[in-house]
Amino acid sequence: MFRNIAVSPLKSLTTLLCYGLASSAYAAPFSSCPSKAFLFQGNPVAAYGINLATGNYTILQSDAGVAGNINGLGFNDTDRYIYGYNTTLKQVMQIGSDFKARAINVNGLPSNTTFYVGDTYNHYYYLYRKGTGFYRIDLSPLDNDPNAILTAETITTSASITLTDFAFHPNNNHLYGVDNRTGILYEFDTNNGSAREMGDTGVTGTFGAAYFDVDGYLYLSRNSDGFIYRIDLASVEITEIIGPTATLFANGPYSSQNDGARCAQAPIIDEDEPATIDFGDAPASYGTLIQDNGARHALDDTTYLGFSAPAGKYNGPDNSSFEDLDDDGVGFVTAFETGLDSVVQVIASNNGYLNAWFDWNQDGDFDDEGEQIFTGQALNAGANTLVMRVPEGALAGQTWARFRFSQQETLAPSGGSTSGEVEDYTVNVASVGLSYKYYPSANGWTTLAYEDNWPQTADYDMNDVVVGLRYTEVINTATQTVERVDIRGKLLAMGGSYHSGFAIRLPGIAAQAINQQTLQLRYNDVLAPSPLEAGREEAIFIISEHLNETIKPVCGFYRTQENCDQDITFNFDLSIPLNGEIAASAMPAQPYDPFIFATPHYYHGSAFATAPGRAYEIHLPDQAPTEAFDPAFWGLQEDTSNPQEQRYYRTANNLPWAMEVSSSWQWPKERTDLLQAYPNFADFVLSQGAEHKNWHTLQNGQAQHIFMP
């Protein structure tokens, strides 16, 4: 069956070149080393292309141009043809890039014998049959004469292993196959045909197709169910290996007549092609990366969680602790408390099946008993309200959950799927005595948007700094005091020309109420210095003094210009432990006081003779600034603030320089006035929020003026 090891660096299956064939009557070879695996099934034979990462497959050729079934396939890296054995006509076949087969002339093979096992290596085609023998055919004469008569050389007539395919390793050039009955992996010596036992793979069955990838992973496709198993042989040498365990990797097509070929020098995911797979983003121990058989789904644009299809990826993020921006399909309606029921709302794009896991014991995997909480749960398109129970033995604290939605009913926490999406979330589990207060919800985001031209309105595009925030207050139910505040944030956009910092104040909470020993701020999961601003009476946390340095815009401005979308590059987690003396009822209302300030030493507009630095702040409307603010700035240019009236950061028309939308929100494009993008905002402000409360929704906006990632 199958593929070979190679010599030339090859790339994608596109342009067809004629290699070594004198006549245009013969099919052209493949122009590259394709990442697809090829599977030939049925009688008459049809050719399929398989994505080994997901099991997705498409038919490439329904008519190979010859009668019968073709087995013993191998991709020859030297001339870039596939070679196989026609089990009906009992002839060796050469197959080109059009997947049409032609017979080639071979002498020396046993007459009236069918071969099902084959592969190519170093311009030789190898055939094997138990009880008959092991043979090698030199293909090089075909380079000059496509009608050359080839000769089969007998390696050995002693062939005792039950095989239906074998494959050459791309790095050590050894040949490997699995005994169908015992599941034992063997290494074959192509000089004398001897077989060396390598260990039990743990799986049995008719493995009609075997493939390698460039990293040294062996893939086995089982005929009966289409399951694709993977064995890690990346470091196999002449020495013994222990436990070559086969792991279920993906679900492919099944057939009673099945054989495959693949260019072993190619990775299974070709990064030269558009990304078409969705990965999870939990830490690597949960099975996230392709090398760890991480959870992944082929994107079909019709099966996904939430309101929009996810973007394709080439792999999962390493050591991630942030939910993906596409993860919007699962809402945690109630808190998770040990021994109690919780309500989860899942948004499905289509009818399909949900499988979900929670790491209740926080050991870094989803493999323990009771951790799969939904198994093949049927979902209808739209909102689905589900009830689940948190085990009494679940550990309190933060852990991970994984939700996989697909057209496949049965999925494991890792491995490939032919459709759908995987979403990973951090969740908090409360034990008796703790409760959690979320804002705006357990997995929702509130959006803060700032115009950095205060005290001028200037272009008033309200996209100079856009931040998404999520708050969690951890409350001791016995004392009704706040134990900790967790704030997660992400810089969504930055369309300002000025240099700005970002901070969060807890109004009315003294700095001395913060337990600085366990106070933590992390940027993209990397621990940062203490964020508590020194020398202040109130608790003020500097998230970043210079937001401009946290991003690398692909265009002039970060995520505000059309056709300049990019991934979010700055995320943060702020954990604020309190000393246990602040009553929950005494806490300021969320979102507390998030504000921007001028980065020290940078120019910030014509209103200021010198760089205003930390003395310059922009807060939500009618929110008094911090003790660091310079009150000499009040009333400059268009500002009509009046501290005696508790009026702050408003124009004469009451327009603010900062605002909050307590949900996800799409901001105006660069240099587009907010009132142009969302015309109802003016009436909302003038009515003091009584009218047009939904001014911020897309249906009430002007799409041509709104940034849509």
Side-chain angles (χ1 to χ4, degrees):
M1 99 50 140
F2 123 47
R3 43 103 292 158
N4 158 30
I5 263 193
V7 209
S8 56
L10 308 163
K11 286 271 183 241
S12 75
L13 196 161
T14 51
T15 311
L16 302 180
L17 301 175
C18 205
Y19 181 96
L21 291 183
S23 169
S24 60
Y26 301 110
F30 291 88
S31 64
S32 66
C33 178
S35 62
K36 275 192 181 74
F38 302 122
L39 199 63
F40 283 51
Q41 293 185 340
N43 187 349
V45 69
Y48 296 84
I50 298 182
N51 184 326
L52 290 176
T54 62
N56 244 23
Y57 62 95
T58 55
I59 189 163
L60 302 173
Q61 179 58 266
S62 59
D63 180 8
V66 296
N69 172 256
I70 300 177
N71 245 272
L73 293 165
F75 185 92
N76 182 21
D77 292 349
T78 306
D79 64 10
R80 299 193 299 278
Y81 281 100
I82 296 173
Y83 291 87
Y85 192 87
N86 190 311
T87 60
T88 303
L89 304 177
K90 297 181 175 57
Q91 291 177 308
V92 176
M93 296 283 166
Q94 183 190 65
I95 301 159
S97 57
D98 61 357
F99 300 97
K100 294 286 189 177
R102 75 176 187 94
I104 56 177
N105 303 311
V106 178
N107 290 331
L109 290 175
S111 60
N112 297 319
T113 300
T114 297
F115 290 91
Y116 299 97
V117 181
D119 197 11
T120 58
Y121 167 64
N122 200 24
H123 221 10
Y124 281 85
Y125 179 44
Y126 292 82
L127 288 169
Y128 177 96
R129 182 182 174 97
K130 180 184 177 181
T132 299
F134 197 0
Y135 302 88
R136 174 172 51 216
I137 303 170
D138 183 0
L139 300 172
S140 60
L142 297 175
D143 295 347
N144 298 316
D145 180 6
N147 295 311
I149 298 176
L150 308 183
T151 301
E153 172 192 353
T154 301
I155 298 173
T156 181
T157 56
S158 176
S160 59
I161 310 300
T162 304
L163 299 176
T164 42
D165 208 0
F166 53 27
F168 278 96
H169 194 293
N171 301 324
N172 66 15
N173 302 331
H174 297 159
L175 184 61
Y176 296 91
V178 173
D179 187 302
N180 295 339
R181 299 170 305 169
T182 66
I184 292 177
L185 175 71
Y186 287 90
E187 180 185 79
F188 294 88
D189 187 328
T190 56
N191 293 313
N192 57 30
S194 62
R196 184 166 68 95
E197 185 174 325
M198 304 297 290
D200 189 354
T201 64
V203 293
T204 58
T206 302
F207 300 110
Y211 315 90
F212 267 103
D213 68 18
V214 70
D215 296 316
Y217 289 102
L218 173 63
Y219 301 86
L220 305 172
S221 176
R222 190 159 63 186
N223 291 15
S224 60
D225 49 22
F227 286 179
I228 298 171
Y229 293 92
R230 186 177 75 170
I231 303 172
D232 184 0
L233 298 182
S235 59
V236 170
E237 299 296 342
I238 301 302
T239 57
E240 293 286 345
I241 62 173
I242 300 174
T245 304
T247 302
L248 181 60
F249 196 69
N251 295 333
Y254 60 89
S255 173
S256 60
Q257 294 179 313
N258 197 35
D259 206 342
R262 185 180 188 276
C263 178
Q265 293 296 325
I268 64 168
I269 296 178
D270 187 350
E271 295 193 8
D272 290 336
E273 297 291 330
T276 59
I277 302 175
D278 178 56
F279 285 85
D281 58 323
S285 67
Y286 289 96
T288 301
L289 305 175
I290 188 66
Q291 51 266 41
D292 299 322
N293 191 24
R296 57 205 182 276
H297 293 248
L299 301 180
D300 62 5
D301 294 326
T302 60
T303 307
Y304 51 85
L305 294 167
F307 299 100
S308 59
K313 303 175 186 176
Y314 295 108
N315 208 343
D318 200 358
N319 297 321
S320 169
S321 67
F322 293 97
E323 297 105 309
D324 191 283
L325 290 175
D326 294 322
D327 290 354
D328 61 350
V330 183
F332 305 126
V333 180
T334 60
F336 297 106
E337 297 178 300
T338 54
L340 301 179
D341 289 338
S342 294
V343 177
V344 177
Q345 187 177 73
V346 182
I347 307 297
S349 66
N350 205 344
N351 295 347
Y353 298 97
L354 177 73
N355 288 271
W357 300 261
F358 280 67
D359 181 14
W360 297 124
N361 63 0
Q362 300 178 31
D363 66 345
D365 62 50
F366 299 117
D367 300 333
D368 302 294
E369 184 178 356
E371 293 193 329
Q372 184 164 9
I373 50 102
F374 296 120
T375 303
Q377 173 72 50
L379 299 183
N380 296 319
N384 296 262
T385 300
L386 307 176
V387 178
M388 53 168 286
R389 177 162 294 175
V390 181
E392 292 184 7
L395 294 182
Q398 190 176 82
T399 190
W400 281 89
R402 170 164 291 168
F403 291 78
R404 302 189 68 180
F405 178 58
S406 174
Q407 295 303 316
Q408 293 173 259
E409 185 172 357
T410 303
L411 290 176
S414 59
S417 174
T418 57
S419 62
E421 182 181 5
V422 51
E423 294 191 351
D424 293 342
Y425 293 92
T426 55
V427 295
N428 286 302
V429 178
S431 63
V432 176
L434 286 182
S435 64
Y436 295 85
K437 179 183 177 182
Y438 302 106
Y439 183 86
S441 63
N443 60 319
W445 298 92
T446 188
T447 306
L448 285 301
Y450 300 85
E451 172 56 57
D452 70 356
N453 280 286
W454 181 86
Q456 293 178 306
T457 53
D459 57 10
Y460 204 64
D461 52 15
M462 204 59 77
N463 65 15
D464 297 331
V465 176
V466 184
V467 180
L469 294 176
R470 175 187 298 167
Y471 298 81
T472 303
E473 289 181 1
V474 183
I475 301 168
N476 185 314
T477 54
T479 61
Q480 285 301 300
T481 56
V482 177
E483 297 286 340
R484 188 180 75 250
V485 175
D486 292 330
I487 304 175
R488 168 164 286 189
K490 52 188 177 182
L491 182 58
L492 298 173
M494 196 164 182
S497 299
Y498 297 137
H499 293 250
S500 298
F502 180 70
I504 300 174
R505 172 177 62 166
L506 299 183
I509 304 299
Q512 64 184 20
I514 308 304
N515 182 349
Q516 296 191 51
Q517 288 185 320
T518 53
L519 172 67
Q520 285 192 342
L521 172 65
R522 289 181 177 272
Y523 299 146
N524 298 333
D525 204 31
V526 176
L527 188 64
S530 174
L532 187 65
E533 188 173 25
R536 307 299 181 197
E537 293 293 327
E538 285 186 300
I540 301 172
F541 305 94
I542 305 298
I543 304 303
S544 173
E545 190 176 62
H546 200 177
L547 287 172
N548 308 68
E549 292 184 344
T550 68
I551 56 174
K552 294 181 179 180
V554 298
C555 296
F557 296 100
Y558 173 67
R559 292 171 57 86
T560 65
Q561 293 173 277
E562 190 170 4
N563 300 321
C564 290
D565 187 22
Q566 65 182 99
D567 291 337
I568 288 176
T569 58
F570 181 64
N571 302 272
F572 67 86
D573 278 291
L574 175 62
S575 178
I576 307 172
L578 302 177
N579 59 17
E581 299 177 359
I582 306 297
S585 59
M587 286 294 291
Q590 294 161 333
Y592 309 138
D593 179 22
F595 64 95
I596 64 172
F597 58 92
T599 301
H601 313 302
Y602 283 91
Y603 173 80
H604 211 92
S606 59
F608 308 99
T610 60
R614 182 65 184 83
Y616 175 103
E617 298 177 352
I618 300 177
H619 294 256
L620 291 171
D622 298 333
Q623 171 63 61
T626 76
E627 58 202 271
F629 179 78
D630 186 347
F633 297 159
W634 291 137
L636 294 175
Q637 296 180 333
E638 296 179 68
D639 177 62
T640 62
S641 297
N642 187 332
Q644 286 71 37
E645 298 176 359
Q646 298 296 301
R647 176 186 178 88
Y648 298 101
Y649 299 102
R650 290 185 183 273
T651 70
N653 293 326
N654 282 326
L655 293 178
W657 277 269
M659 65 182 192
E660 179 198 11
V661 178
S662 56
S663 64
S664 296
W665 177 67
Q666 294 308 132
W667 47 94
K669 293 178 181 177
E670 188 60 30
R671 305 194 193 286
T672 299
D673 193 299
L674 173 66
L675 303 180
Q676 188 177 14
Y678 292 96
N680 292 334
F681 180 70
D683 289 340
F684 173 78
V685 172
L686 289 174
S687 69
Q688 297 183 333
E691 299 177 8
H692 298 291
K693 294 181 179 180
N694 292 326
W695 67 267
H696 58 278
T697 60
L698 289 177
Q699 55 264 40
N700 289 318
Q702 300 296 313
Q704 69 272 26
H705 299 307
I706 297 172
F707 178 79
M708 296 293 295

